[in-house]
């Protein structure tokens, strides 16, 4: 029995020893990844002209052609994840030896020109998302871009850190996750004049002024389905409305197209909240006539007993 107990103890010690070796290898591997950050970021900066590495960016590896631009030892490295983990390790490190090692890596990154960053997600927000939104707003006057909009590559109008950024998709994600956003993002979005209800914002910015202008020019709200606001320098129309498919929008609202009815539901509700637009859409001549009809209806009613 003693021999069996001794064998079990030896087995447990062997397991613990293996776990310690695995943990040591894991720490060693992580440390090696941290040591590769400087050459990896240097290569990324040479290729892209900035340090804003996306969180999901992985260094290309063979057989990808892009791998030829990277040293072999860096290929396959999850660079975005490694940077994020490095910053968290710097914040949590307590042992002097550990802090000294991490400080050495941070000093190398500082020499490359990377500013001292505490949170990589916030760094990307400030270096990519906010500049992209500011640029779009300066070009279009709003932040109502299509979901499919992606910042064009190689366009000097945009900061290099934003090239290829899926601004439309991430903007829609921000609207869906308003309650989960950190305070600094909410503050930045408020400063940018960000509209959380994009449908209402599109209505107020495009449909309402386009419908009002059409009524002024043509004296009717019967907009042909094929009508599109002129895109050229038409003095009768504001430039920001150029290309707006007003006829199609009006037709969808009036006909209740089942393919678009669900999408337009919120806009239809807004019509009934705005009496002037209700008059425009349905050719109501004036509130005076309605008052007369109301009086006639009330005269037909029997007085209360």
């Amino acid at each position: 029995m003693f021999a069996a107990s001794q064998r079990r103890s030896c087995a447990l010690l062997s397991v613990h020893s293996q776990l310690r070796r695995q943990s040591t290898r894991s720490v060693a591997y992580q440390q090696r990844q941290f040591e590769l950050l400087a050459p990896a970021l240097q290569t990324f900066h040479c290729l892209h002209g900035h340090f804003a590495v996306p969180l999901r960016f992985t260094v290309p590896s063979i057989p990808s052609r892009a791998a030829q631009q990277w040293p072999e030892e860096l290929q396959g490295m999850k660079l975005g994840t490694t940077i994020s983990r490095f910053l968290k390790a710097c914040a949590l490190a307590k042992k002097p030896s550990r802090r000294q090692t991490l400080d050495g890596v941070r000093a190398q990154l500082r020499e490359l020109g990377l500013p001292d960053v505490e949170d990589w997600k916030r760094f990307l927000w400030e270096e990519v998302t906010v500049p992209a939104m500011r640029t779009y707003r300066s070009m279009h006057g709003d932040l109502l871009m299509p979901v499919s909009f992606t910042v064009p590559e190689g366009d000097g109008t945009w900061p290099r850190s934003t090239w290829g950024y899926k601004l439309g998709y991430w903007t829609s994600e921000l609207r869906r996750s308003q309650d989960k956003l950190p305070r600094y993002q909410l503050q930045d979005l408020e400063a940018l004049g960000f509209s959380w209800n994009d449908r209402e914002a599109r209505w107020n910015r495009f449909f309402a002024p386009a419908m009002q202008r059409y009524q002024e020019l043509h004296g009717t709200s019967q907009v042909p389905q094929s009508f599109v606001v002129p895109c050229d320098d038409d003095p009768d129309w504001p430039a920001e409305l150029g290309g707006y498919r007003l006829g199609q929008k009006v037709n969808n609202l009036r006909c209740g197209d089942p393919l678009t009815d669900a999408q337009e539901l919120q806009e239809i509700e807004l019509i009934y909240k705005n009496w002037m637009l209700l008059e425009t859409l349905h050719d109501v001549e004036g509130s005076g006539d309605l008052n007369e009809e109301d009086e006639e209806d009330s005269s037909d009613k029997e007085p209360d007993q």
Side-chain angles (χ1 to χ4, degrees):
M1 182 179 293
F2 176 78
S5 177
Q6 189 175 23
R7 284 196 298 271
R8 284 196 298 270
S9 298
C10 291
L12 289 173
L13 288 173
S14 177
V15 170
H16 288 308
S17 178
Q18 291 178 8
L19 290 175
R20 282 197 299 270
R21 286 198 298 270
Q22 290 176 2
S23 177
T24 301
R25 286 199 297 268
S26 177
V27 172
Y29 173 79
Q30 187 182 71
Q31 182 59 38
R32 176 55 180 161
Q33 292 291 294
F34 291 167
E35 292 172 354
L36 292 174
L37 277 177
L41 280 171
Q42 185 177 23
T43 304
F44 185 92
H45 187 273
C46 290
L47 295 174
H48 301 279
H50 61 85
F51 290 110
V53 182
L55 278 172
R56 298 181 180 180
F57 177 80
T58 299
V59 176
S61 56
I62 296 175
S64 172
R65 292 183 179 180
Q68 300 175 2
Q69 300 174 310
W70 290 83
E72 184 176 353
E73 63 178 354
L74 300 177
Q75 294 179 14
M77 178 182 182
K78 296 181 179 180
L79 184 54
T81 302
T82 303
I83 298 173
S84 182
R85 288 177 177 173
F86 169 74
L87 296 177
K88 291 179 181 178
C90 290
L92 297 175
K94 296 181 179 180
K95 293 183 178 180
S97 58
R98 177 67 167 166
R99 292 191 62 85
Q100 183 178 3
T101 302
L102 296 175
D103 287 343
V105 175
R106 187 181 282 275
Q108 294 177 355
L109 301 182
R110 194 179 297 116
E111 290 179 2
L112 291 176
L114 180 70
D116 288 334
V117 180
E118 302 298 332
D119 184 339
W120 196 251
K121 288 184 178 180
R122 183 164 185 170
F123 176 74
L124 294 178
W125 170 263
E126 295 172 350
E127 293 293 316
V128 181
T129 306
V130 172
M133 286 187 169
R134 285 175 178 163
T135 304
Y136 188 95
R137 186 176 183 83
S138 67
M139 296 173 64
H140 301 276
D142 57 56
L143 293 172
L144 303 175
M145 73 285 294
V147 176
S148 60
F149 177 79
T150 299
V151 177
E153 295 275 1
D155 189 339
T157 307
W158 297 80
R160 291 197 64 169
S161 60
T162 67
W163 290 359
Y165 183 61
K166 297 180 179 180
L167 181 59
Y169 170 78
W170 288 113
T171 299
S172 65
E173 287 296 304
L174 289 173
R175 290 191 172 98
R176 280 195 284 266
S177 56
Q178 179 181 2
D179 297 336
K180 301 178 182 179
L181 298 179
R183 184 175 181 180
Y184 70 86
Q185 290 187 352
L186 294 173
Q187 292 175 340
D188 289 341
L189 291 172
E190 182 179 359
L192 287 167
F194 186 75
S195 300
W196 294 104
N197 189 329
D198 60 328
R199 292 190 181 278
E200 183 175 355
R202 291 178 189 278
W203 178 277
N204 293 331
R205 179 161 177 77
F206 298 111
F207 182 83
M211 197 67 197
Q212 181 178 357
R213 186 56 181 157
Y214 189 93
Q215 176 80 11
E216 293 172 353
L217 292 174
H218 302 279
T220 179
S221 63
Q222 299 297 325
V223 184
Q225 185 175 353
S226 60
F227 178 78
V228 178
V229 176
C231 290
D232 53 5
D233 297 331
D234 191 323
D236 292 332
W237 287 91
E240 62 269 18
L241 297 179
Y244 184 68
R245 299 179 180 276
L246 179 61
Q248 180 179 350
K249 180 67 67 174
V250 172
N251 183 72
N252 290 342
L253 291 173
R254 282 180 169 160
C255 298
D257 187 344
L259 295 178
T260 59
D261 183 66
Q263 298 178 359
E264 307 296 345
L265 178 60
Q266 191 171 12
E267 295 181 342
I268 293 174
E269 291 175 352
L270 287 174
I271 297 176
Y272 290 93
K273 292 179 182 178
N274 189 319
W275 177 245
M276 292 184 64
L277 285 178
L278 181 62
E279 288 184 328
T280 302
L281 283 174
H282 298 282
D283 291 326
V284 178
E285 294 183 356
S287 59
D289 295 338
L290 290 179
N291 290 336
E292 292 176 1
E293 292 177 2
D294 290 341
E295 291 176 359
E296 292 176 1
D297 292 341
S298 61
S299 64
D300 294 336
K301 296 180 181 178
E302 296 182 0
D304 295 336
Q305 298 295 329

